[in-house]
Amino acid sequence: MKDMDDQPPRTLPIQSATFTNPINAEIRRAAATGIYDIRGGGAKRKVPHFDDLLFLGASVSRYPLEGYRERCDTSVTLGTRFAKKPIELDIPITIAGMSFGALSGPAKEALGRGASAAGTSTTTGDGGMTPEERGHSSKLVYQYLPSRYGMNPNDLRKADAIEIVVGQGAKPGGGGMLLGQKISDRVAEMRTLPKGIDQRSACRHPDWTGPDDLEIKILELREITGWQVPIYVKVGATRPYYDTALAVKAGADVVVMDGMQGGTAATQDVFIEHVGLPTLSCIRPAVQALQDLGVHREVQLVISGGIRTGADAAKALALGADAVAIGTAALVALGDNDPKWEAEYQKLGTTTGAYDDWHEVKTRRA
Ligand SMILES: Cc1cc2nc3c(=O)[nH]c(=O)nc-3n(C[C@H](O)[C@H](O)[C@H](O)COP(=O)(O)O)c2cc1C
């Protein structure tokens, strides 16, 4: 038998289609630190997306409309089913819920100002409603979340709509994390949390376990708000047909379907990359559920997760959605990760382009 010492030394790391260099590097990092990756942003893997769809233009069989002469109405009304005061938007693009804590007060205010100037709505998030945000948003949707962080019944009554968050596309069925570094005095006070300590947010509402309880919750919220404002139900895309149907049965005015490319402030990378469905794949099943129940266009469908451009929005609408919501694109527009702010990022101990894993780095240092 050949002696093992005769074998050539294995100097090269294992590399294959399964164990790629990045995978191996991540295994080494995890082994060295004992920390799994918690990051912001949405799925980085390539999944079917709006770029994979094209519009058919007009030629002989379809007569083109003259964009500058013929009427083109971009307005949309959300919440026509039960609410006494539905929300009227000038454009079918809304700002998605992003938490106060992940975003600063001025960032939330800026989104409110921008949304109001564009004639659309913005949305609160985990951590509650800030006066600046309410003051500068002509139409503000108030999120009612599993964590209840920052939940205030008085704020419910100040909102133009309420969005019950069942889940998010980046982490359907999972809660998020707010890192201690982000828990300032103000964030701590609004969330009733200790300052500076990492906080997990709950993965499900504490007082319900299924669609029957969702129905009760919707009724409670309608009573608190006197049936005035629309009630949205936001779900992370997993079983879009049944989740849409059950939200409708529970009494939702609007269903918000958030696909797996959707951004998050922070959660486990494994959840972001391996749980949920691509945004594109859940639009048709959701529309089908609305059609089967005879409520397509009566219960509006808002789609989010990876919407970057007007073309993406138009494709979502062409597939049957009534509106779209944007998170990451709005943050990029605000200057998030813009290299021109590198010096400012450096002062915070980070760098542009690294927001998707700086959480892990900070956690390791702590
Ligand atoms: C920084 C950040 C914070 C977020 N916070 C919340 C939140 O508090 N509640 C929520 O329902 N979704 C939250 N989301 C998800 C957005 O509401 C939305 O579903 C998602 O950003 C849409 O995908 P997009 O980022 O590709 O546009 C957050 C997203 C980001 C990027």
Side-chain angles (χ1 to χ4, degrees):
M1 201 172 107
K2 211 167 152 47
D3 194 288
M4 288 297 283
D5 291 345
D6 293 344
Q7 301 278 334
R10 295 196 59 166
T11 51
L12 290 175
I14 305 164
Q15 210 207 323
S16 68
T18 308
F19 288 90
T20 58
N21 277 340
I23 291 279
N24 290 341
E26 172 55 15
I27 293 171
R28 284 186 209 105
R29 185 209 60 76
T33 63
I35 295 170
Y36 55 86
D37 193 4
I38 293 199
R39 67 172 177 89
K44 293 185 200 171
R45 64 157 71 209
K46 188 162 170 48
V47 293
H49 196 45
F50 294 102
D51 285 341
D52 299 306
L53 291 185
L54 294 170
F55 283 107
L56 299 178
S59 52
V60 178
S61 57
R62 293 289 186 281
Y63 180 73
L65 296 177
E66 182 53 77
Y68 296 97
R69 289 172 47 200
E70 277 143 326
R71 186 177 146 82
C72 174
D73 187 0
T74 57
S75 66
V76 62
T77 307
L78 302 181
T80 49
R81 188 185 190 192
F82 292 127
K84 288 184 194 153
K85 290 186 191 160
I87 288 201
E88 288 174 19
L89 306 177
D90 294 345
I91 55 168
I93 301 166
T94 71
I95 305 289
M98 289 182 277
S99 65
F100 172 64
L103 270 59
S104 66
K108 295 292 280 176
E109 176 181 330
L111 291 177
R113 284 174 183 265
S116 302
T120 192
S121 62
T122 187
T123 313
T124 65
D126 238 339
M129 181 192 286
T130 62
E132 309 88 292
E133 183 178 33
R134 175 61 281 189
H136 291 98
S137 305
S138 59
K139 295 169 186 104
L140 182 60
V141 183
Y142 186 67
Q143 282 199 332
Y144 188 84
L145 294 119
S147 70
R148 303 287 199 275
Y149 286 151
M151 208 322 260
N152 181 334
N154 295 323
D155 290 341
L156 278 173
R157 297 195 185 94
K158 292 182 198 155
D160 300 294
I162 293 166
E163 181 169 294
I164 301 178
V165 178
V166 179
Q168 280 177 240
K171 47 187 178 187
M177 179 178 260
L178 188 67
L179 291 162
Q181 289 90 342
K182 296 182 182 178
I183 306 187
S184 62
D185 285 331
R186 189 175 177 200
V187 172
E189 190 189 332
M190 281 183 69
R191 297 189 182 217
T192 333
L193 287 175
K195 199 182 154 194
I197 295 175
D198 293 351
Q199 294 295 330
R200 291 198 171 280
S201 53
C203 69
R204 62 166 191 256
H205 288 258
D207 53 351
W208 56 277
T209 52
D212 293 342
D213 294 327
L214 176 60
E215 190 169 349
I216 295 167
K217 184 56 66 185
I218 290 177
L219 268 176
E220 275 175 22
L221 292 170
R222 290 210 191 273
E223 281 175 18
I224 292 172
T225 54
W227 291 77
Q228 299 288 313
V229 301
I231 310 277
Y232 304 5
V233 172
K234 175 176 179 176
V235 294
T238 54
R239 295 166 187 82
Y241 182 90
Y242 293 108
D243 288 343
T244 303
L246 287 167
V248 169
K249 151 117 193 1
D253 291 306
V254 174
V255 176
V256 181
M257 182 70 63
D258 190 32
M260 73 177 282
Q261 297 100 312
T264 174
T267 200
Q268 296 92 330
D269 174 81
V270 69
F271 233 103
I272 299 176
E273 295 293 351
H274 299 280
V275 183
L277 289 181
T279 306
L280 190 58
S281 69
C282 57
I283 304 178
R284 285 309 301 168
V287 170
Q288 192 65 54
L290 296 173
Q291 288 171 339
D292 288 352
L293 293 169
V295 294
H296 188 216
R297 306 297 185 206
E298 181 190 345
V299 172
Q300 287 79 34
L301 177 66
V302 177
I303 289 293
S304 59
I307 305 275
R308 307 152 298 176
T309 61
D312 290 348
K315 289 172 187 176
L317 300 188
L319 289 168
D322 295 276
V324 299
I326 57 169
T328 303
L331 298 186
V332 173
L334 272 187
D336 188 27
N337 272 301
D338 189 331
K340 79 177 180 193
W341 302 118
E342 179 59 23
E344 301 296 318
Y345 277 88
Q346 292 281 340
K347 279 188 219 160
L348 294 170
T350 182
T351 180
T352 46
Y355 93 110
D356 60 301
D357 54 19
W358 72 288
H359 303 289
E360 186 270 325
V361 174
K362 290 256 176 183
T363 310
R364 202 175 345 152
R365 274 194 208 135

